[in-house]
Amino acid sequence: MSKLFRVSLFRIRNGAHLSSMDLGRHTGIIEWALRLFLGSTFIFASWHKIVSPDEFATILYGYAVFPHQFINVLAIVMPFVELVCGISLITGLLKRSGLLLINAMLVSFIFLISFNLIRGHEFDCGCFSLGDTKGTWSSAWLLLRDFAMLGAGVYLFRLFNKKDRV
């Protein structure tokens, strides 16, 4: 029995799949690309909110779901959470924690957009710019985009969990 055959047989018996051996390098590239995409998206989205929290507070008020007492606090804290999570995901420092918060934010964004679409409330999302994302079509597009980013985030989180078990 050749050495290569014995090593392959050992890997298969111990749960290693041939596809995971072949795609290990590609998975690393996909992971890095998704981390860069999600991280830079949240960094970019946080910038205008950090620069003008008063306009972001007005947008949060427009959602008509937040208690008035918390709108200013949310308008100040939320952009910095987005920024720190984006940086953490790109740099790899506490990347699982940053990704967990990013996924939680995406779920909340999906909920808020869906809730306002269902009740027919026109609003500005405040995602990347202040004041130019109103209308049903725009909201539906935002919802689709957030679901795609959540899918990427869930994929990354599962990937991080697999790496921790190995």
Side-chain angles (χ1 to χ4, degrees):
M1 199 183 302
S2 74
K3 183 178 179 179
L4 179 63
F5 180 73
R6 284 188 303 236
V7 169
S8 297
L9 189 59
F10 174 78
R11 286 182 180 163
I12 292 171
R13 282 185 186 161
N14 290 315
H17 299 285
L18 292 174
S19 62
S20 68
M21 289 187 286
D22 296 335
L23 295 176
R25 182 170 172 232
H26 296 294
T27 303
I29 293 170
I30 292 169
E31 174 193 345
W32 173 242
L34 288 176
R35 283 175 51 197
L36 188 63
F37 167 70
L38 280 176
S40 59
T41 299
F42 273 79
I43 290 169
F44 181 70
S46 71
W47 186 250
H48 72 276
K49 300 170 196 170
I50 291 171
V51 173
S52 25
D54 55 333
E55 290 181 39
F56 186 51
T58 304
I59 289 171
L60 289 176
Y61 183 78
Y63 274 94
V65 292
F66 299 110
H68 301 294
Q69 301 89 334
F70 298 121
I71 288 179
N72 288 333
V73 174
L74 273 173
I76 293 169
V77 172
M78 188 71 174
F80 286 101
V81 171
E82 290 177 346
L83 178 68
V84 169
C85 288
I87 291 171
S88 130
L89 195 57
I90 290 174
T91 63
L93 286 167
L94 300 171
K95 66 182 178 184
R96 287 184 60 186
S97 302
L99 183 60
L100 186 63
L101 286 172
I102 284 175
N103 286 345
M105 285 187 279
L106 286 169
V107 168
S108 65
F109 298 159
I110 289 168
F111 172 75
L112 288 170
I113 293 168
S114 300
F115 181 70
N116 279 312
L117 273 174
I118 289 168
R119 67 182 184 160
H121 184 73
E122 195 169 302
F123 61 97
D124 178 21
C125 92
C127 302
F128 296 102
S129 61
L130 303 172
D132 49 327
T133 54
K134 282 191 174 185
T136 306
W137 172 249
S138 177
S139 299
W141 174 248
L142 293 171
L143 199 58
L144 183 64
R145 183 197 64 200
D146 286 348
F147 269 115
M149 287 195 297
L150 181 62
V154 168
Y155 173 79
L156 276 177
F157 198 76
R158 290 185 59 162
L159 196 62
F160 293 165
N161 283 341
K162 281 183 185 177
K163 283 186 176 183
D164 288 345
R165 282 188 235 142
V166 174

